[in-house]
Amino acid sequence: MARSPFTLVAAVTAAVPGAEVTGARALTADGDGRFDSAIATLADGSELVIRVAADDSAAVELAEEALALRALTAGAREILPFRVPTAMGETRVGDARALVTDLMPGFQIEAAHVPPGRGAAVSIGRAIAAVHTLPPSVVRAAGLSVRDAAAVRAETEQLVDRASATGRVPARLSARWRSAVADDDLWRFESAVTLGGIQALSFLFEDDPHDGPQVVAVLGWRGLAVGDPAEDLGWLSGAPEAAPDVLAAYTAASQRATDDALQARARLHAELEFARWLVHGDELRRPDIVDDAAALLESLSSGLRGDDLRVTATYTGGVDSALDVLDRVPATASNDIDTSMQTDAYRPEDLWHEAEPDDQEDQQHQGDQQNQEDQGDQEDQGDGRGPARPVSSAGAPRADGEASRTQEQGDAAHASWEQPTQDLSDVAGVRGSTRVDDGSAAATDAGAAAAADRSASPDPDSDEAQRAARAALQRWTRSDSE
């Protein structure tokens, strides 16, 4: 039989010494029948809430909440952008445990009625993110539960096993939950301070003329622990319209790494609440509770989708989208655009001497030959290989003084590529390598010896060779920049 408010408030003076009660009224918020509650008005105008447990399990919850509220020090409360109840005292009403806290202002909104968009949904997301930013030391110092991802996973697996052992869980649900437990990607998360049993009615609101309903207080701290952040988002399955905005606000305000499996685990925790209810009834040997839980599980199973416990990555384009983009890329790139580096730090004409008119025809011929070689480079890029240095039309390495000087100038121009940690000398076919594609070291040695002999002897065509080398180096540099 429910106790009257006057009976309840009479116990406030025992829980809070010195309190002078001047009035009593019922707590208007609907309860679950597991507590008797009332509001006591004191002489100074302040109001306190007294709750008396109706059974042993409710008494345990009151003890857990009292411990959690005392764990929230003044420093921890300063971090939170909303008010938290303060445990004023404890007493007993008959054989039942009673807890007295201060009254929090505000109104409540049922989960199904939380409006989307700016206002309540956004404020809820920010409030949950603020709880998750509390330092874990708050929980550890109070001796409360601390669980990492592995512990949460093991606890979930145990719950699934216990529920399935009753024989009242539909086979489809049991298989679905076991598959989720076995999914490694689902359990890669960073644990945080959580409320555990938070619900939509845990949030108290006040209207803001510009931003709509704003969270001003949060109730339900008995589950304070370090655990899975998704546990505080499971109730969103009952608020389908507001859920996207709550999650978006939570993600924006969160100071944590992105968790792609957050929504999937939140859905899993919501479903497992039915399993907990089933296990609770089985432990108490209450057929009425067991039947009620079994009916809820049957209804849940019939309305399930097959993919909503899968991990959804932030980018979900996947391989198919990448192939779609690839299909829109032209088969060949245009060579009409000059992509060589042009800046205002130098003038290209200052780096290269003007070719004399008599030599323009020769350079044009060499340019045509180089263009043919460049086309060969583009064909070889399919397997990541290309000529190491300029080759003659016969395909053999050029061992004259022109090639030697060209390579020397190229090494000076690209000294920044030759870092100690990027030794590519053993890789054939890499631009800038001293090896040729066939891997012949003899040809390289012969070319070096020939180059040395030619550089030691006077060459009447040395001026022409120098100009050709500079022109080849310029084309080689431009082809690299492309």
Side-chain angles (χ1 to χ4, degrees), residues 414 417 431-432 475-482:
H414 299 279
W417 290 0
R431 190 183 301 277
R475 289 191 299 274
W476 183 78
T477 305
R478 288 187 176 183
S479 65
D480 278 359
S481 68
E482 297 175 2

Side-chain angles (χ1 to χ4, degrees), residues 217-240:
V218 175
L219 309 175
W221 289 80
R222 70 176 184 84
L224 183 66
V226 172
D228 185 359
E231 293 178 357
D232 288 345
L233 298 168
W235 64 273
L236 288 176
S237 60

Side-chain angles (χ1 to χ4, degrees), residues 177-194:
W177 293 342
R178 293 185 188 280
S179 177
V181 170
D183 186 358
D184 292 337
D185 291 337
L186 202 66
W187 304 99
R188 295 190 177 101
F189 65 87
E190 179 186 358
S191 57
V193 175
T194 64

Side-chain angles (χ1 to χ4, degrees), residues 63-405:
E64 291 174 346
E65 182 168 359
L67 182 59
L69 293 178
R70 292 190 175 99
L72 293 174
T73 62
R77 292 169 183 263
E78 285 293 331
I79 298 175
L80 301 173
F82 47 77
R83 293 181 59 183
V84 177
T86 300
M88 307 298 294
E90 297 179 78
T91 188
R92 303 193 74 84
V93 177
D95 295 332
R97 189 186 194 107
L99 174 65
V100 179
T101 62
D102 54 345
L103 179 66
M104 294 289 98
F107 59 89
Q108 297 168 305
I109 305 176
E110 293 280 352
H113 299 151
V114 176
R118 187 182 65 177
V122 173
S123 185
I124 289 175
R126 293 171 179 171
I128 297 175
V131 173
H132 293 175
T133 61
L134 287 173
S137 58
V138 172
V139 174
R140 293 193 181 97
L144 299 175
S145 175
V146 176
R147 300 170 299 161
D148 58 9
V152 173
R153 185 180 190 177
E155 183 181 286
T156 303
E157 183 177 16
Q158 183 181 16
L159 175 60
V160 172
D161 290 340
R162 293 176 62 187
S164 300
T166 64
R168 303 298 299 271
V169 179
R172 181 185 181 189
L173 270 181
S174 182
R176 169 187 173 87
W177 293 342
R178 293 185 188 280
S179 177
V181 170
D183 186 358
D184 292 337
D185 291 337
L186 202 66
W187 304 99
R188 295 190 177 101
F189 65 87
E190 179 186 358
S191 57
V193 175
T194 64
L195 295 183
I198 197 171
Q199 299 294 328
L201 296 180
S202 299
F203 303 99
L204 299 177
F205 301 88
E206 286 187 355
D207 278 323
D208 183 277
H210 301 289
D211 298 326
Q214 299 295 303
V215 175
V216 294
V218 175
L219 309 175
W221 289 80
R222 70 176 184 84
L224 183 66
V226 172
D228 185 359
E231 293 178 357
D232 288 345
L233 298 168
W235 64 273
L236 288 176
S237 60
E241 293 184 358
D245 294 319
V246 173
L247 289 170
Y250 171 82
T251 302
S254 180
Q255 301 177 5
R256 308 170 57 78
T258 301
D259 182 358
D260 293 331
L262 181 68
Q263 295 184 50
R265 288 199 317 279
R267 171 71 187 187
L268 175 63
H269 289 308
E271 294 178 6
L272 290 177
E273 286 299 317
F274 298 106
R276 289 187 177 90
W277 182 235
L278 174 64
V279 171
H280 174 71
D282 185 66
E283 290 176 343
L284 295 179
R285 300 185 182 277
R286 292 276 303 272
D288 55 333
I289 296 179
V290 171
D291 291 342
D292 180 55
L296 292 172
L297 290 171
E298 287 289 349
S299 177
L300 174 64
S301 177
S302 63
L304 285 178
R305 295 186 303 168
D307 61 349
D308 52 359
L309 288 187
R310 294 171 56 189
V311 177
T312 304
T314 302
Y315 172 71
T316 57
V319 177
D320 293 338
S321 294
L323 293 177
D324 292 341
V325 174
L326 185 61
D327 291 339
R328 296 193 294 270
V329 177
T332 58
S334 174
N335 294 326
D336 296 337
I337 302 176
D338 182 10
T339 59
S340 60
M341 182 178 67
Q342 301 290 339
T343 73
D344 58 358
Y346 67 89
R347 294 187 304 166
E349 59 267 21
D350 293 340
L351 300 181
W352 311 105
H353 292 291
E354 289 287 344
E356 295 181 4
D358 297 340
D359 299 327
Q360 290 180 356
E361 193 173 38
D362 293 339
Q363 292 188 24
Q364 179 65 32
H365 173 71
Q366 293 174 3
D368 295 340
Q369 181 178 354
Q370 182 66 25
N371 288 337
Q372 295 176 359
E373 296 170 0
D374 291 342
Q375 292 177 359
D377 289 347
Q378 294 177 359
E379 294 175 357
D380 290 339
Q381 285 176 2
D383 59 358
R385 299 182 58 188
R389 52 186 182 178
V391 295
S392 65
S393 59
R398 300 184 62 176
D400 55 7
E402 172 188 339
S404 176
R405 285 188 294 273

